Amino acid sequence: MENQSEIKNPLETEPVHKLIVRYSIPTSVTLMVNYLYNIVDQIFVGQGVGITGMAATNIAFPLTILTNAVALMLGDGCAANISLCLGRKKQQTANETVSHTLTLLLLAGLAGGLICGLGAPVIVSLFGATPSSYKDAVAYMRSIAPGIPFQMICPALTAVIRADGSPQYAMKCMILGAVINLILDPVFIFVFGMGVMGAGIATVIGQIAAGLLFLLYLPKMHTVHIRKAFLRPGRKLTARILGLGFPSLLTQIMSALVQIIMNNLMTRYGALTRYGSDIALSVYGMIMKVYQISHAMFVGVSSAVQPINGFNFGARHYDRVRKTYRMAAGISLAISAIWFAIYQLLPAQIGSLFVSGNDLYTECAVHCFRIYMMAFFLYGLHMTTASFFQGIGKPAKALALPLARQGIFLIPLAFGLSAVYGMDGALMAAPIADVAAFVLSAVLARTEFGSWKKKGMV
């Protein structure tokens, strides 16, 4: 028999705006710090190794996205299932869920590390390495391979710890890892002269430190508990975890696929411009690294409202779910407008953080930023909407948004437009996809709430 607690959960009683702030800020900071690992590497490599070193670390970046994709599938799937179970007073199922997830996470991390270490030469070739950046790209990828299990632990357990009600703990863990990376990067790159390999080693040490702290939290969880009897994954519950987490996986995989395709298009068509392939490739990679900071804010908001939506949908508080979605959508669009202004007004300043004293690099950075981020003021809504559907247990609708934006709109447009307009055509695919995803998100959300009204749910 499931435990039936009469204690009211803050997710169903506390004002929505306070819950969003409480959950979104630590989550956003946690993710931003996670992405800072790569940005700090990029800055130090750019200053210490040069443009070819930056291109090498950019080549490895899709691997980071793919690793996070698997981690977020497990973490978000676990967190969404926990929230729904707690809302329905199913304590034992919640305990089974977190226990299953831990085993799946450790197995996935070990597999990822082995694939990265053994397959580095093949992977960097597929990801678009230029002849001049190939050697450094392989060295960097092999240096980060040992940290992949811990890299996966951090974002996955961030979602679980957030669902447990302690997002601040995850934030502190990630900050510690980033500080360690920040300190060790210049030591390994400049003092020991280890180049891109030194940047990778510094990243791994920071990830291990953060990952161990995440694992130490697990025995102290408040709302769910890991049980030895549940560590062996069962087929039905594992399918439920993966099903609810699959939208997160697809979102990240599509992002990685976009990065890989754009890397290759920048290499190919950048060579036909005055910038050359190495500058075009390194600039696009830099844009993606900076973009991840703004992306972290959207993920923070959407992830923060997921447990609110999940618990209240499970408890049949449908008005509260609708209010949460509307508030989150407004916040996301405000964030989109702020970052749009930054990308359009300060591209030269952003680019100079990574490479200074190279006028051609700066010119390319300004050119690419302003095209690629042309419609960024609409960006946030599709992520909020996907998280909403994921939180209420409708993964099919949640899948539609990332699949449409990246797979149906952006990638085909990048190929088609680049064939006609070269590098600029590839860049133009992003703002067109942003507009299309915004419209699709609005239609899906309006249709869903309209069906609730017809059923008398609101």
Side-chain angles (χ1 to χ4, degrees):
M1 172 107 27
E2 303 279 9
N3 293 333
Q4 302 287 331
S5 175
E6 297 300 325
I7 299 175
K8 290 289 186 180
N9 192 304
L11 293 173
E12 64 177 328
T13 59
E14 195 164 320
V16 169
H17 69 278
K18 290 185 178 180
L19 286 171
I20 293 177
V21 170
R22 178 189 298 176
Y23 281 82
S24 65
I25 291 178
T27 303
S28 297
V29 171
T30 299
L31 292 169
M32 289 169 69
V33 169
N34 191 32
Y35 291 128
L36 279 173
Y37 282 120
N38 294 286
I39 291 178
V40 168
D41 282 350
Q42 190 84 342
I43 291 174
F44 282 118
V45 167
Q47 300 296 336
V49 181
I51 290 175
T52 56
M54 284 183 62
T57 57
N58 288 338
I59 291 302
F61 191 53
L63 180 70
T64 300
I65 300 176
L66 289 171
T67 301
N68 284 341
V70 177
L72 288 172
M73 175 180 66
L74 295 173
D76 287 349
C78 175
N81 202 45
I82 287 173
S83 297
L84 287 168
C85 289
L86 293 178
R88 295 164 179 163
K89 311 301 181 187
K90 297 182 177 180
Q91 182 66 49
Q92 182 174 310
T93 305
N95 292 341
E96 291 178 5
T97 299
V98 71
S99 302
H100 279 39
T101 300
L102 179 61
T103 302
L104 295 171
L105 178 61
L106 295 177
L107 292 174
L110 292 173
L114 287 173
I115 292 171
C116 177
L118 298 176
V122 176
I123 294 171
V124 300
S125 296
L126 291 174
F127 285 6
T130 62
S132 57
S133 65
Y134 175 83
K135 183 178 178 181
D136 280 343
V138 172
Y140 183 74
M141 189 163 289
R142 283 179 170 161
S143 69
I144 64 175
I148 284 183
F150 297 94
Q151 181 186 341
M152 293 185 68
I153 284 171
C154 295
L157 293 189
T158 292
V160 176
I161 292 172
R162 180 180 62 244
D164 191 53
S166 301
Q168 294 85 357
Y169 182 89
M171 178 180 68
K172 293 174 183 177
C173 294
M174 292 302 300
I175 289 175
L176 173 66
V179 169
I180 291 173
N181 185 37
L182 182 65
I183 293 171
L184 294 181
D185 254 332
V187 174
F188 289 140
I189 293 174
F190 298 110
V191 178
F192 295 155
M194 297 176 69
V196 295
M197 185 177 292
I201 294 172
T203 296
V204 168
I205 294 173
Q207 289 170 340
I208 290 174
L212 291 175
L213 285 178
F214 272 102
L215 291 174
L216 288 174
Y217 177 86
L218 296 182
K220 307 173 185 177
M221 287 191 292
H222 307 295
T223 59
V224 290
H225 307 285
I226 293 174
R227 299 287 185 246
K228 185 178 179 180
F230 302 146
L231 286 174
R232 184 175 181 178
R235 182 179 300 177
K236 184 177 180 180
L237 187 53
T238 297
R240 178 69 175 168
I241 294 168
L242 299 181
L244 288 177
F246 193 71
S248 297
L249 174 73
L250 182 63
T251 300
Q252 295 295 316
I253 284 181
M254 296 306 296
S255 295
L257 183 59
V258 167
Q259 175 96 24
I260 294 167
I261 289 171
M262 290 296 292
N263 280 349
N264 283 279
L265 292 177
M266 292 297 105
T267 299
R268 178 180 179 181
Y269 293 106
L272 304 178
T273 68
R274 60 194 301 265
Y275 307 120
S277 58
D278 279 329
I279 287 181
L281 178 62
S282 63
V283 164
Y284 179 75
M286 176 270 294
I287 290 175
M288 289 297 95
K289 298 281 179 74
V290 176
Y291 151 80
Q292 293 294 340
I293 297 297
S294 58
H295 182 75
M297 294 185 177
F298 300 119
V299 175
V301 173
S302 58
S303 297
V305 300
Q306 186 183 91
I308 305 172
N309 286 330
F311 186 97
N312 285 285
F313 190 82
R316 300 183 180 181
H317 301 319
Y318 302 119
D319 278 330
R320 192 168 170 83
V321 175
R322 184 173 60 177
K323 181 179 180 181
T324 300
Y325 172 78
R326 289 177 174 175
M327 192 171 294
I331 293 171
S332 293
L333 289 174
I335 295 172
S336 300
I338 292 170
W339 278 102
F340 168 78
I342 292 172
Y343 292 144
Q344 295 299 319
L345 298 175
L346 302 174
Q349 291 82 349
I350 295 172
S352 65
L353 291 174
F354 296 85
V355 174
S356 55
N358 188 320
D359 293 339
L360 197 58
Y361 178 91
T362 302
E363 180 186 328
C364 184
V366 172
H367 181 78
C368 294
F369 255 122
R370 287 182 173 161
I371 296 177
Y372 201 76
M373 302 298 186
M374 190 183 298
F376 200 77
F377 56 91
L378 299 175
Y379 183 82
L381 188 66
H382 83 275
M383 294 188 63
T384 301
T385 306
S387 177
F388 159 70
F389 284 117
Q390 190 176 19
I392 65 173
K394 296 188 176 182
K397 289 186 176 181
L399 282 171
L401 289 166
L403 180 61
R405 182 187 181 273
Q406 312 280 50
I408 297 176
F409 302 137
L410 202 158
I411 291 175
L413 283 169
F415 279 120
L417 293 175
S418 64
V420 179
Y421 301 107
M423 185 180 78
D424 287 356
L427 295 170
M428 274 297 300
I432 297 174
D434 287 341
V435 173
F438 175 85
V439 173
L440 179 61
S441 300
V443 170
L444 286 177
R446 185 178 181 87
T447 301
E448 179 68 18
F449 289 125
S451 70
W452 290 13
K453 189 174 182 179
K454 289 180 180 179
K455 295 175 183 177
M457 295 167 62
V458 292

